[in-house]
């Protein structure tokens, strides 16, 4: 993924601040880390891979389904995310965004690579799932410092009037990584025999993560720290105790962020992590057909996410966030009901309805969340709040939904879960200040008025 492909229309005026080539480099360097993070999820949650990982690393007679084992491993990684956020976030506020993001991208890609070389349960016994768990915990720890820093870099480089446009490329990286991972698994599945796939072919997608990480590291190494952080550092305004300042003075806004992220992550991990397995195991859709449906909807989301980000620069972030929250409350049940008919077009239509609501949020969070906090604690406050919510509600979504479906016998659990998340997020979104026209150095101040975009 080249920088020209990542930001195709940077020939437009970017306004005052860094030149367009520097902004292009910053956006690419940030988005590629998100791409690698979600490449892992795209590989790990693909229907056929979910089943394989659940059998390769575990004893065959432990009484649990392969999908539940894999979803438990996904959830386990999220236990470490808040700790990663508390470690890397304040470190990024003290040492700079660039240094920390170089560490996190190599930890993420290296951990994903290691999954591809770990021995199976048949080879080393109980050590196999324990090693896999250890690697997933390292992944979660590093990811806890990745997203907040990547979003902060884009927000602090982007021109004020186009922060929504540039911020949307962060989640373009998310969707691209997921599609790349899922498509690679689909390709390996189609090209190899079932025996070859279960024997060694499943390792190929995980191994690809390392070269992707090296590319990302190279791009990030050529980037200077953000102008806003350099200005703050030169003025001697960096905090000596960023973690203390973050928790002491910004806890209310962190709680607000947690509430919004509940919907973001329940929607994100339900649709992008759980849904492929849901289609194949609960709706009896074939693995190939399920993969094509999910990849197709995600490609459509990729096509609209940047225009939606640009739209938020004109109308504000809150209208898109409110539309998404209300939409999930109203549309989730009908969308899941449509999917229960099990026809290919009906399943794709129901999935697309929910994907459309999710992309409304994805398009603006890269510009909304960093602007909730002042520069001195932006990285840390964002990382802590985001990862606490993600750990509790996002990483557990697939596991909880799968367990509830098996317990209750109803396939409508995803709809009820999404409706609840929409209700929880509605209040925090209404309390959110509109920052679409506010310079990033003035964002997050308690006395900052809420402007109305022209």
């Amino acid at each position: 993924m080249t920088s020209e492909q990542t930001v195709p229309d940077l020939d437009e005026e970017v306004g005052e601040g860094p030149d367009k080539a520097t902004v292009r480099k910053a956006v690419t360097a940030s988005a590629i880390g998100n791409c690698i993070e979600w490449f892992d999820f795209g590989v790990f949650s693909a229907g056929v891979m979910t089943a394989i990982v659940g059998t390769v690393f575990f004893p065959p007679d432990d009484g649990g389904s392969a999908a539940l084992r894999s979803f438990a491993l996904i959830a386990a990684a999220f236990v470490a995310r808040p700790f990663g956020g508390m470690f890397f976030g304040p470190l990024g506020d003290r040492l700079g965004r660039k240094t920390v993001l170089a560490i996190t991208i190599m930890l993420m890609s290296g951990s994903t690579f290691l999954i591809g070389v770990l021995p199976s349960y048949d080879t080393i016994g109980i050590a196999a799932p324990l090693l896999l768990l250890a690697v997933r915990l390292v992944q979660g720890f590093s990811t806890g410092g990745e997203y907040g820093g990547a979003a902060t870099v884009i927000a602090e480089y982007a021109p004020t009037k186009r922060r929504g446009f540039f911020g949307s490329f962060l989640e373009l990286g998310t969707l691209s990584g997921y599609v790349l991972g899922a498509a690679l698994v689909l390709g390996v599945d189609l090209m190899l025999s079932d025996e070859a796939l279960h024997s060694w072919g499943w390792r190929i997608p995980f191994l690809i993560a390392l070269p992707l990480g090296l590319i990302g590291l190279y791009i990030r190494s050529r980037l200077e720290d953000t102008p806003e952080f350099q200005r703050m550092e030169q003025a001697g305004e960096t905090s000596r105790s960023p973690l203390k300042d973050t928790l002491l003075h910004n806890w209310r806004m962190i709680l607000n962020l947690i509430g919004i992220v509940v919907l973001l992550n329940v929607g994100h991990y339900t649709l992008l992590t759980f849904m492929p397995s849901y289609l194949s195991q609960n709706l009896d859709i074939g693995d190939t057909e399920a993969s094509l449906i999910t990849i197709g909807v995600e490609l459509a989301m990729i096509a609209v996410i940047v225009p939606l980000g640009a739209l938020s620069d004109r109308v504000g972030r809150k209208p898109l966030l409110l539309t998404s929250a209300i939409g999930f409350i109203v549309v989730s049940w009908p969308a899941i009901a449509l999917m229960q008919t099990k026809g290919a077009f009906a399943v794709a239509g129901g999935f697309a309805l929910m994907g459309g609501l999710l992309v409304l949020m994805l398009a603006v969070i890269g510009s909304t969340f960093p602007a909730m906090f002042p520069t001195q604690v932006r990285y840390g406050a964002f990382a802590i709040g985001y990862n606490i919510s993600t750990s509790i509600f996002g990483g557990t979504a697939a596991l909880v939904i799968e367990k509830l479906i098996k317990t209750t016998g109803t396939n409508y659990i995803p709809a009820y879960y999404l409706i609840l998340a929409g209700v929880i997020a509605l209040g925090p979104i209404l309390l959110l200040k509109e920052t679409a026209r506010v310079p990033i150095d003035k964002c997050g101040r308690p006395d900052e008025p809420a402007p109305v975009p022209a």
Side-chain angles (χ1 to χ4, degrees):
M1 182 171 60
T2 65
S3 57
E4 287 76 10
Q5 290 172 322
T6 306
V7 189
D9 55 354
L10 259 180
D11 290 333
E12 300 178 22
E13 184 66 34
V14 297
E16 296 181 1
D19 60 84
K20 61 185 180 182
T22 302
V23 176
R24 178 191 292 117
K25 192 186 301 180
V27 172
T28 303
S30 300
I32 198 168
N34 240 28
C35 179
I36 292 170
E37 175 188 347
W38 279 89
F39 173 82
D40 168 66
F41 277 99
V43 170
F44 214 89
S45 60
V48 64
M49 191 65 73
T50 300
I52 291 174
V53 170
T55 56
V56 168
F57 292 98
F58 292 87
D61 59 346
D62 69 347
S65 74
L68 276 175
R69 296 169 191 162
S70 293
F71 290 146
L73 284 170
I74 291 174
F78 284 82
V79 173
R81 284 189 66 151
F83 299 99
M86 290 182 183
F87 177 78
F88 287 117
L91 197 64
D93 285 324
R94 187 158 56 90
L95 301 181
R97 292 46 166 135
K98 174 183 174 180
T99 301
V100 173
L101 287 176
I103 298 171
T104 58
I105 196 169
M106 288 313 301
L107 283 175
M108 285 195 312
S109 59
S111 299
T112 304
F113 171 83
L114 282 177
I115 293 176
V117 299
L118 286 177
S120 68
Y121 182 86
D122 290 341
T123 303
I124 60 172
I126 193 63
L130 294 178
L131 285 173
L132 180 58
L133 176 62
V135 171
R136 292 295 294 172
L137 289 174
V138 173
Q139 281 181 316
F141 185 77
S142 57
T143 303
E146 169 65 30
Y147 187 81
T152 296
V153 166
I154 292 181
E156 292 182 350
Y157 262 106
T160 299
K161 294 182 179 180
R162 303 192 69 197
R163 199 160 62 235
F165 168 76
F166 288 111
S168 66
F169 282 96
L170 186 66
E171 289 299 324
L172 179 66
T174 293
L175 294 170
S176 298
Y178 192 92
V179 169
L180 179 61
L184 186 57
V185 171
L186 177 61
V188 172
D189 184 25
L190 293 175
M191 287 188 295
L192 297 178
S193 67
D194 189 62
E195 181 181 357
L197 181 65
H198 282 74
S199 175
W200 56 268
W202 67 269
R203 298 180 182 274
I204 295 174
F206 291 105
L207 299 178
I208 299 295
L210 187 58
L212 287 177
L214 292 173
I215 293 171
L217 179 64
Y218 172 73
I219 295 173
R220 288 182 175 182
S221 68
R222 301 174 63 212
L223 185 69
E224 295 294 328
D225 226 318
T226 68
E228 186 60 22
F229 181 82
Q230 292 186 58
R231 181 204 63 76
M232 181 181 69
E233 192 175 37
Q234 291 168 3
E237 297 174 357
T238 54
S239 173
R240 293 183 178 180
S241 304
L243 179 59
K244 177 182 176 181
D245 291 343
T246 296
L247 298 177
L248 188 62
H249 302 297
N250 295 273
W251 62 269
R252 289 185 180 85
M253 191 57 71
I254 289 175
L255 290 176
N256 206 44
L257 173 64
I258 288 173
I260 300 172
V261 175
V262 169
L263 176 58
L264 170 67
N265 279 306
V266 169
H268 212 157
Y269 291 96
T270 298
L271 295 182
L272 301 187
T273 302
F274 173 73
M275 198 55 66
S277 176
Y278 176 78
L279 296 181
S280 60
Q281 296 191 24
N282 297 94
L283 301 186
D284 299 320
I285 306 294
D287 284 335
T288 299
E289 188 177 359
S291 295
L292 290 173
I293 290 172
T294 54
I295 290 173
V297 171
E298 287 150 11
L299 287 173
M301 293 168 69
I302 287 174
V304 301
I305 191 169
V306 173
L308 287 172
L311 177 65
S312 77
D313 286 325
R314 297 193 294 273
V315 304
R317 326 295 187 210
K318 286 183 68 171
L320 274 69
L321 291 170
L322 285 171
T323 301
S324 179
I326 295 170
F328 272 115
I329 295 170
V330 174
V331 175
S332 292
W333 196 92
I336 293 294
L338 183 62
M339 297 171 71
Q340 301 305 308
T341 65
K342 301 183 181 181
F345 288 106
V347 171
F351 192 89
L353 281 173
M354 293 186 290
L357 294 172
L358 177 60
V359 78
L360 288 173
M361 291 197 81
L362 295 181
V364 300
I365 59 175
S367 53
T368 302
F369 292 164
M372 294 172 69
F373 304 101
T375 304
Q376 287 82 355
V377 297
R378 179 170 293 129
Y379 193 158
F382 183 172
I384 291 170
Y386 183 88
N387 285 294
I388 288 175
S389 188
T390 300
S391 177
I392 298 172
F393 301 103
T396 59
L399 180 64
V400 170
I401 293 173
E402 177 73 7
K403 190 67 175 178
L404 286 175
I405 289 175
K406 289 187 176 297
T407 302
T408 63
T410 175
N411 284 332
Y412 285 89
I413 294 297
Y416 302 142
Y417 213 61
L418 288 165
I419 291 169
L420 178 61
V423 171
I424 292 173
L426 198 55
I429 292 174
L430 289 170
L431 293 173
L432 194 66
K433 290 182 179 180
E434 181 59 73
T435 56
R437 297 281 179 168
V438 181
I440 195 65
D441 63 321
K442 291 180 169 52
C443 287
R445 298 180 181 180
D447 58 345
E448 187 67 43
V452 179

